[in-house]
């Protein structure tokens, strides 16, 4: 049997941009992608803390150190700059793997920089 667990989460990131007319996706600062273990083109779920909106899209890399969290295309209708969001990636594991797996959680400051240093 396979189970789906949270693989990684960017906790309470601030949306920096929302562009309805840009190709759909979420652009995320490369430093955050590396810290949480999310890869380019991976599907992520996004939870808007301000509105309760929940949606999924794919990841595009933004420049490292930019602090970018940019929602594009249809996703831009579900958040505005300044909204706090959770960005979560999931993965499937067999039961043995699942029992010992620990997700990577990155908490960020107001500029979307990791609080872990």
């Amino acid at each position: 049997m396979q189970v789906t667990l949270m693989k990684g989460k960017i906790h309470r990131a601030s949306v920096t941009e929302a562009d309805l007319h840009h190709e759909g996706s979420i652009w995320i600062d490369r430093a955050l992608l590396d810290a949480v273990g999310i890869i380019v083109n991976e599907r992520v779920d996004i939870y808007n803390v301000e509105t309760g909106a929940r949606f999924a899209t794919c990841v595009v890399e933004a420049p490292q150190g930019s602090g970018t969290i940019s929602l594009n295309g249809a996703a831009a209708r579900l958040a505005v700059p300044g909204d706090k969001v959770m960005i979560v990636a999931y993965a499937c594991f067999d039961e043995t793997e699942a029992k010992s797996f620990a997700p990577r959680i990155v908490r960020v400051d107001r500029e979307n920089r990791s609080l872990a240093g």
Side-chain angles (χ1 to χ4, degrees), residues 18-87:
D19 185 351
L20 182 62
H21 302 290
H22 199 284
E23 182 179 335
S25 59
I26 183 169
W27 291 22
I28 302 173
D29 181 320
R30 171 87 255 167
L32 292 175
L33 294 177
D34 290 343
V36 79
I38 294 174
I39 62 174
V40 172
N41 294 318
E42 185 168 358
R43 177 190 168 147
V44 291
D45 287 347
I46 299 151
Y47 309 116
N48 187 327
V49 175
E50 314 299 332
T51 67
R54 301 165 74 90
F55 54 98
T57 192
C58 63
V59 172
V60 174
E61 176 183 337
Q64 185 161 338
S66 66
T68 298
I69 301 291
S70 178
L71 292 165
N72 301 296
R77 292 235 187 249
L78 301 171
V80 297
D83 280 0
K84 296 290 187 187
V85 294
M86 311 285 193
I87 303 164

Side-chain angles (χ1 to χ4, degrees), residues 82-102:
D83 280 0
K84 296 290 187 187
V85 294
M86 311 285 193
I87 303 164
V88 182
Y90 296 91
C92 292
F93 300 87
D94 66 34
E95 287 186 74
T96 302
E97 290 174 309
K99 289 178 182 177
S100 63
F101 179 77

